[in-house]
Amino acid sequence: MFADCAKIYVKSGKGGDGHVSFRREKYVPNGGPDGGDGGNGGSVYFVVDEGLNTLTDFRHIRKYCAGNGAEGGKRNCAGKNGEDIFIKVPAGTVIREAESGKVIVDMSGDNQKVLLLRGGRGGSGNQHYATSKMQAPKYAQPGQPAMELELLLELKVIADVGLVGFPNVGKSTLLSSSTNARPKIANYHFTTLNPNLGVVDLEDAKGFVIADIPGLIEGASEGVGLGHEFLRHIERTKVIIHIVDAASTEGRDPIEDIYAINRELETYNPEIATRPQIIAANKIDMIYGEDDPVARIRAEFEPKGIPVYPISAVSKKGVRELLYAVRNMLDGLSSEPVIFAQEYAPEENQSIQNEPFTVEYDAEKDEYVVEGPRIEKMLSYTNLESEKGFRFFQNFLKEHGILKELEALGIQEGDTVRMYGLVFDYYK
């Protein structure tokens, strides 16, 4: 069965403790300290495996632990390093911290191999602590503790175009007739139970990747039916092809279907509903009678800036024109892939809690100044240029009590706040 979501537990290795020992040899009555260093703990890596296309393996194995570092030994012998662990995932997997849901890393683009949790550093043996005043130190440094996290893995397919619509409107047929994909096709609702990808090759134009998102129904964004399981796969797409049964072979109104699906997209993620759309009015070879449903669809949506293309996915009539129109849409958009920005940094979030910070009012410059290692570290891994990064920055200030301290100092709306060169106006 196709699996595009999984929850797992990962843990890096603990660093080995440094050793306490002294050189004991014949004719060397006062041998100095010779305790070796502990080995480093193993780290947890995530690696993209192009041979994988689901997260099925994580349904059977949910716990992944790297090896611990060994304790140092006598005669300056260092302990053995713990073994690293490499967790293979399909391209497009978004790794989140399970409790907060914040993105740690998106395994797309250049993120083919990522160090997620670093193993604990091995402790120093007592040989490192010998001084002129302490020639026989009886203590050594313990190894650093392991890091652990519960992760939520989400597979979001990497495609330029998303193909959406109600069940049995011909999405799989269109995909197979226009790409190299070969999905299973049958006249049953929800025949397609997993997203299918296909590559569209065009003459004298750049190709693109299209994803057939399994059929949606009303209420899908709230968990009704099966389609809600796959809404995540449309999040990377730049253009949406909305395919409808123009012939109403099952008695459905194609205009109402378009509005219903758009409501589901907007409920799931309002940003998706704003992406360029194009309507494929399918099954025109089954339209009989004087009524022209394609004209009705055009009259309803083309004034809204949504072009309508009549097609027959079975006979391929109109499909070429539709695909070139989609290519023209893509040419007008950024070619950068949709990659989710980091919102959570495991190492900083496990160590930053004990870091100090100060909140003060500078009367001379009439501004509030926030400084300290905790603030500096947060700013170093937060992309304030992105909307999600700035939202994370705001939540950080709130969760760590910084906003509360600013308010205790009497800050008012419009007052200036400075943090390591970053200057902004305060608003609730």
Side-chain angles (χ1 to χ4, degrees), residues 9-250:
Y9 167 87
V10 294
K11 183 179 181 181
S12 64
K14 176 188 177 300
D17 296 337
H19 190 68
V20 177
S21 64
F22 299 91
R23 184 181 177 192
R24 293 291 181 263
E25 295 182 23
K26 193 174 183 180
Y27 308 120
V28 185
N30 297 314
D34 67 353
D37 300 340
N40 295 325
S43 298
V44 178
Y45 291 86
F46 275 81
V47 182
V48 169
D49 185 338
E50 297 296 343
L52 297 177
N53 54 21
T54 79
L55 300 176
T56 302
D57 292 346
F58 297 102
R59 290 190 170 182
H60 309 295
I61 304 175
R62 297 179 181 270
K63 188 174 182 179
Y64 297 83
C65 299
N68 293 328
E71 182 183 354
K74 300 178 180 180
R75 300 182 181 179
N76 301 324
C77 291
K80 184 180 179 181
N81 292 334
E83 288 192 14
D84 297 332
I85 187 170
F86 297 87
I87 303 174
K88 296 180 180 180
V89 294
T93 301
V94 178
I95 303 172
R96 301 178 183 270
E97 195 274 322
E99 184 176 355
S100 66
K102 294 176 179 177
V103 175
I104 298 175
V105 66
D106 183 352
M107 301 299 292
S108 307
D110 295 332
N111 294 331
Q112 299 295 299
K113 179 181 178 182
V114 173
L115 170 60
L116 194 89
L117 294 181
R118 191 181 301 277
R121 192 171 60 238
S124 299
N126 69 332
Q127 59 172 309
H128 296 281
Y129 298 101
T131 66
S132 59
K133 294 183 179 180
M134 175 61 70
Q135 298 183 4
K138 296 182 179 179
Y139 51 83
Q141 183 184 35
Q144 287 184 342
M147 297 174 64
E148 56 186 342
L149 275 179
E150 274 202 329
L151 302 177
L152 182 64
L153 309 183
E154 286 185 317
L155 176 58
K156 300 177 189 287
V157 297
I158 301 174
D160 302 302
V161 178
L163 192 59
V164 302
F166 274 76
N168 208 26
V169 294
K171 297 192 308 300
S172 296
T173 304
L174 176 59
L175 185 73
S176 65
S177 66
S178 58
T179 74
N180 57 357
R182 293 293 175 263
K184 294 180 180 179
I185 301 172
N187 191 28
Y188 299 106
H189 287 185
F190 293 114
T191 295
T192 304
L193 293 181
N194 54 285
N196 288 299
L197 293 178
V199 178
V200 175
D201 292 319
L202 299 174
E203 294 181 11
D204 305 321
K206 186 179 178 182
F208 56 88
V209 179
I210 188 170
D212 167 19
I213 310 301
L216 306 177
I217 64 174
E218 291 182 83
S221 59
E222 300 170 359
V224 178
L226 296 178
H228 75 287
E229 293 289 342
F230 306 103
L231 278 166
R232 64 175 61 90
H233 295 293
I234 205 170
E235 292 190 61
R236 294 190 197 273
T237 58
K238 299 173 183 176
V239 171
I240 296 172
I241 298 178
H242 199 141
I243 186 166
V244 291
D245 177 3
S248 300
T249 57
E250 296 190 344

